[in-house]
Amino acid sequence: MQVWPGQTYPLGATYDGAGTNFAVFSEAAERVELCLLHDDGSETAIELRESDAFVRHAFLPGVMPGQRYGFRVHGPYDPVQGHRCNSAKLLLDPYAKAMSGRVDWDEAVYGYRFGKPETRNDLDSAPHTMASVVINPFFDWANDRPPRVDYHRTVLYEAHVKGLTMTHPGLPPEIRGTYAALAHPAVIEHLVELGVTALELMPVHQFVTDHRLVDAGLSNYWGYNTIGFFAPHNAYASMGDRGQQVLEFKTAVRALHTAGIEVILDVVYNHTAEGNHLGPTLSFRGLDNASYYRLEQDQRYYTDTTGTGNSLLMRSPHALQMIMDSLRYWVTDMHVDGFRFDLAATLARQFHEVDRLSSFFDLVQQDPVVSQVKLIAEPWDVGEGGYQVGNFPPLWAEWNGKYRDTVRDLWRGEQARLAEFGSRLTGSSDLYQDDGRRPLASINFVTCHDGFTLRDLVSYNDKHNEANGEDNRDGESFNRSWNCGTEGPTDDPAVLELRGRQMRNIIATLMLSQGVPMLSHGDEFGRTQVGNNNAYCQDSELTWVPWPEPGEDGPDAEATRILEFTRTMVWLRRDHPVFRRRRFFHGRPVEGTGDELSDISWFTPEGEAMTQRDWQAAQARSVVVFLNGHAISEPGARGERITDDSFLLMFNAAPQELDFVVPVDHGKEWQVVVDTARPDGVPPGTGREVGAGDRLRLADRSLTVLRRPA
């Protein structure tokens, strides 16, 4: 076989039509072998003799897409000094664009199954591990263009590739649970009709199910256990895993873009699947342990701010380069539109403390590719000082955990939450305004993959995670939930009616709030996980979205009503810019609008202006909000002044029905457009007409929206 010197960049395996260039970094290695794997189980080892700046490289003419390969690294195995080279381990390429097979947790190979660390005498891991794959980078993108939906028009939809599509009756069985299913018209039609503008996919980077879950008959369903930051997860491909997963993912992105839907990836750059010092050597650990991982003073052990066993070393230029190369690859080659960063506070840990000016954020800020896409932080980790909501740099948006908690507390009846609710409803200026950010920095959500579903949030006081095999010890114990009087399933019509009302309250609140709303997949149908709030290991009907049969009658009638109400609220938001302002409210009339009314006003249920005493009253759970559609200060896309209808939002989170008075000086004629006390949440026809000074009786724990045409 011919072996040419090759190039140091790009790292990984790069096919150019005539052969493949291989390049891999390892400062610790004394010698690196590239192993070409054959279908009969044999391998051809080629020493990478060329080395520049610790990058070993070679070009192999004739090596085509579909070729499986790995690396063997010869070097020091000295955990006390942070080195774990072991030539018995066939290592995955950190830059592999695709990976084939799965990890076989064979006890003869992985001694740590019994709580013992690996040694240099371990058996060859090749038959038991995954392989890297050379891919064909060429793809017909046709006229694909990024939708580039502005944040103020964005509606996020968090979904799991398999969970969203596994039971869809309109999909051919052979593509359910795969990237191909995301490209199917039946799925895209649902997203378009729902009003979604961005599909936020739970991890699709190649991940591994660890041995503990395999032994228990479970799986790492969520996927937060990455081993390949460039490779689409092979189990989500319907056509094969020797590069077909790349083509299938690109096809899905192209189809979603055609429908105007952006694709945002939930990415896990804070740790890898290799775990702690007892974990397996799959890739990074065997290549250059000390360059990729944050180690304790005793370098046998790993610093863990993620709760998974290890953390990537964010002051290492090689770890940072890999992350930035990965991000650029997914934007330029895979055409994704943004990223949601799991446990993003760990990315800020340049040393020990969370540092908002760490190297990672500097690199993102100056990068001409990555800085131009949507960047969303999960602004916490499990380390000391890890809760950083509101503290990320101006380029970033954040999952607003304070919004989630406040909305949950209001509707479950907690006292003294009204003042903070006002802040969360209007974009959380207390978190984002001081550093120049706007309401759009707040990603508003009440439920997500982690925790109760929307239905479970109103059906359970306590978690019920027994199926996870940890005696219900796992998962969050303080969920800010309320079961409406009965724990779990019930036939009591009063409880069921209240739960439906509470779900409508939460959906409506989410869509009426300033910021960027995010729905969790299946909540639009009211799906349940039977009280499991940590279903990370459940790959079954427990976590798959149950697609209902449409119709007003029958067993799925309630799911259909929830879906229709969710659609109504999403489109109400999309149709009215007063709910998605790009700037914070001023709390006063806006100059140049010709309107003497404030852009926002707050009233008691009696129609009187709210006072400081009203806001601070512990028992206060009800408020009226006036949103002035004539006082939107920001210009439109062509510089024109934006005007809209005006709205009154009447929130009654009290446990009893209350009379609300329509304020007398903010419009004479109003129309009721939303009433969550109704089973469908929407008044029939054009809605009831009401006038200034009229009284409306709102049911306990309900929300009513009035509209005044512009």
Side-chain angles (χ1 to χ4, degrees):
M1 175 177 288
Q2 294 186 62
V3 180
W4 299 355
Q7 303 293 327
T8 60
Y9 194 85
L11 291 164
T14 306
Y15 173 69
D16 67 1
T20 302
N21 188 81
F22 294 90
V24 63
F25 161 78
S26 177
E27 186 173 351
E30 298 166 357
R31 188 161 60 90
V32 176
E33 292 178 308
L34 166 67
C35 299
L36 302 181
L37 307 178
H38 309 300
D39 290 341
D40 62 3
S42 63
E43 63 182 60
T44 299
I46 301 156
E47 184 173 351
L48 300 181
R49 299 181 181 277
E50 297 291 331
S51 178
D52 297 282
F54 304 112
V55 175
R56 315 292 175 114
H57 53 90
F59 182 87
L60 274 58
V63 171
M64 298 287 110
Q67 174 65 58
R68 296 181 303 131
Y69 70 97
F71 297 110
R72 295 191 185 276
V73 173
H74 302 261
Y77 183 85
D78 186 0
V80 174
Q81 299 299 319
H83 301 305
R84 293 180 178 267
C85 298
N86 188 345
S87 60
K89 305 298 180 183
L90 182 72
L91 303 177
L92 292 164
D93 182 356
Y95 279 72
K97 307 301 191 300
M99 294 181 180
S100 176
R102 62 181 180 84
V103 176
D104 175 14
W105 302 109
D106 187 285
E107 62 189 50
V109 176
Y110 297 106
Y112 67 91
R113 282 188 68 180
F114 305 103
K116 298 181 295 184
E118 295 175 334
T119 70
R120 283 298 292 266
N121 298 319
D122 288 327
L123 301 178
D124 188 353
S125 70
H128 307 276
T129 191
M130 304 164 69
S132 306
V133 179
V134 178
I135 70 157
N136 184 346
F138 306 110
F139 179 76
D140 182 8
W141 283 104
N143 296 319
D144 182 70
R145 296 172 64 90
R148 293 195 179 280
V149 181
D150 291 334
Y151 263 125
H152 72 284
R153 297 182 181 275
T154 295
V155 177
L156 290 164
Y157 184 85
E158 186 197 33
H160 187 281
V161 172
K162 188 172 185 179
L164 177 64
T165 63
M166 194 61 190
T167 68
H168 196 300
L171 299 179
E174 63 271 16
I175 71 167
R176 293 178 185 176
T178 70
Y179 304 121
L182 297 179
H184 194 277
V187 172
I188 291 178
E189 180 182 7
H190 172 72
L191 298 176
V192 170
E193 291 181 352
L194 186 57
V196 168
T197 68
L199 182 63
E200 183 179 301
L201 293 175
M202 291 174 66
V204 298
H205 287 175
Q206 184 69 53
F207 61 85
V208 173
T209 293
D210 62 70
H211 72 95
R212 181 185 65 83
L213 293 175
V214 171
D215 288 350
L218 301 170
S219 70
N220 194 310
Y221 172 70
W222 284 353
Y224 292 94
N225 205 33
T226 306
I227 196 61
F229 295 103
F230 295 78
H233 187 59
N234 56 21
Y236 296 156
S238 65
M239 299 186 296
D241 69 356
R242 296 204 181 180
Q244 294 94 332
Q245 60 265 56
V246 178
L247 300 178
E248 197 168 316
F249 181 87
K250 289 179 177 179
T251 301
V253 172
R254 186 178 61 190
L256 288 160
H257 281 182
T258 300
I261 298 173
E262 295 182 308
V263 178
I264 295 174
L265 302 187
D266 192 338
V267 290
V268 191
Y269 292 112
N270 51 71
H271 74 281
T272 79
E274 291 184 305
N276 63 18
H277 65 288
L278 299 177
T281 297
L282 302 174
S283 179
F284 309 92
R285 174 173 289 155
L287 281 163
D288 199 319
N289 187 55
S291 289
Y292 282 112
Y293 292 116
R294 183 186 297 274
L295 303 178
E296 294 287 350
Q297 186 171 359
D298 182 340
Q299 297 186 80
R300 291 175 296 178
Y301 303 109
Y302 295 82
T303 301
D304 179 14
T305 59
T306 65
T308 60
N310 65 59
S311 303
L312 284 176
L313 182 60
M314 298 310 297
R315 66 176 182 268
S316 162
H318 304 289
L320 288 169
Q321 179 189 2
M322 180 195 67
I323 294 172
M324 295 306 299
D325 285 348
S326 170
L327 292 169
R328 278 191 297 270
Y329 172 77
W330 284 95
V331 175
T332 59
D333 287 58
M334 307 294 269
H335 286 207
V336 304
D337 304 283
F339 306 94
R340 178 266 189 190
F341 293 79
D342 177 67
L343 301 181
T346 291
L347 302 177
R349 291 183 184 274
Q350 187 168 359
F351 295 98
H352 173 71
E353 299 82 4
V354 175
D355 176 7
R356 69 181 290 185
L357 299 179
S358 71
S359 299
F360 173 69
F361 297 112
D362 293 342
L363 291 172
V364 169
Q365 181 72 37
Q366 60 80 44
D367 191 276
V369 174
V370 180
S371 65
Q372 299 306 302
V373 300
K374 287 184 169 69
L375 301 171
I376 302 170
E378 181 185 38
W380 50 77
D381 64 15
V382 301
E384 182 181 352
Y387 193 75
Q388 293 291 317
V389 173
N391 290 333
F392 275 68
L395 192 64
W396 291 68
E398 299 174 13
W399 272 25
N400 191 343
K402 293 187 176 182
Y403 177 93
R404 172 200 60 205
D405 296 346
T406 303
V407 172
R408 289 186 178 195
D409 280 350
L410 179 82
W411 286 114
R412 74 189 180 107
E414 284 294 291
Q415 292 188 354
R417 300 297 281 169
L418 198 59
E420 185 168 2
F421 173 71
S423 179
R424 304 298 157 242
L425 183 75
T426 54
S428 296
S429 60
D430 59 322
L431 299 178
Y432 304 115
Q433 192 170 28
D434 61 346
D435 58 10
R437 286 189 285 177
R438 295 180 175 179
L440 305 172
S442 178
I443 305 299
N444 297 331
F445 70 105
V446 182
T447 59
C448 64
H449 69 275
D450 189 1
F452 282 144
T453 66
L454 178 60
R455 176 172 293 280
D456 290 354
L457 186 68
V458 302
S459 302
Y460 294 90
N461 285 349
D462 304 305
K463 64 185 180 181
H464 296 268
N465 298 352
E466 290 80 6
N468 296 354
E470 298 182 44
D471 296 325
N472 206 33
R473 293 190 302 269
D474 63 305
E476 176 61 58
S477 296
F478 181 47
N479 294 283
R480 301 176 189 268
S481 61
W482 180 49
N483 64 18
C484 296
T486 301
E487 186 75 357
T490 181
D491 294 327
D492 186 328
V495 172
L496 293 175
E497 190 278 331
L498 178 55
R499 289 176 178 177
R501 196 187 326 155
Q502 288 284 70
M503 286 192 285
R504 292 189 292 274
N505 289 335
I506 291 170
I507 291 169
T509 302
L510 181 63
M511 293 303 156
L512 297 172
S513 299
Q514 304 297 321
V516 180
M518 186 186 79
L519 290 165
S520 180
H521 70 319
D523 276 352
E524 72 271 31
F525 300 128
R527 80 177 181 95
T528 179
Q529 290 178 173
V530 200
N532 192 320
N533 75 348
N534 189 36
Y536 74 101
C537 57
Q538 300 293 333
D539 185 0
S540 67
E541 291 184 357
L542 181 71
T543 51
W544 303 339
V545 172
W547 291 79
E549 291 292 334
E552 297 182 0
D553 299 316
D556 295 328
E558 184 186 17
T560 300
R561 283 196 298 269
I562 296 172
L563 172 60
E564 289 302 323
F565 179 74
T566 306
R567 286 173 176 164
T568 297
M569 293 309 306
V570 172
W571 283 101
L572 180 68
R573 176 189 183 82
R574 290 192 61 174
D575 290 341
H576 292 284
V578 74
F579 298 124
R580 44 183 177 81
R581 294 166 53 101
R582 286 177 288 174
R583 294 185 174 93
F584 289 109
F585 289 102
H586 300 283
R588 62 177 184 273
V590 176
E591 294 182 7
T593 64
D595 195 317
E596 297 181 356
L597 296 176
S598 176
D599 56 359
I600 186 171
S601 299
W602 303 85
F603 301 93
T604 66
E606 292 77 23
E608 302 294 332
M610 289 283 287
T611 66
Q612 192 67 25
R613 183 176 181 180
D614 294 325
W615 283 114
Q616 294 177 347
Q619 72 278 9
R621 297 186 181 93
S622 303
V623 69
V624 178
V625 189
F626 168 71
L627 302 181
N628 191 346
H630 291 275
I632 303 175
S633 58
E634 64 259 22
R638 297 178 178 85
E640 76 281 9
R641 189 172 72 83
I642 297 176
T643 61
D644 191 13
D645 299 339
S646 295
F647 289 85
L648 282 173
L649 315 181
M650 297 179 169
F651 294 90
N652 181 24
Q656 67 276 345
E657 61 181 23
L658 291 175
D659 285 340
F660 279 65
V661 177
V662 178
V664 295
D665 297 327
H666 288 68
K668 296 181 179 180
E669 296 181 353
W670 297 86
Q671 183 183 71
V672 180
V673 293
V674 175
D675 181 0
T676 62
R678 294 179 53 85
D680 57 5
V682 181
T686 58
R688 182 156 62 101
E689 301 286 345
V690 297
D694 285 356
R695 287 183 173 272
L696 281 74
R697 175 151 292 190
L698 268 65
D700 60 289
R701 301 183 178 90
S702 70
L703 187 165
T704 292
V705 178
L706 308 183
R707 179 175 65 88
R708 188 193 74 193

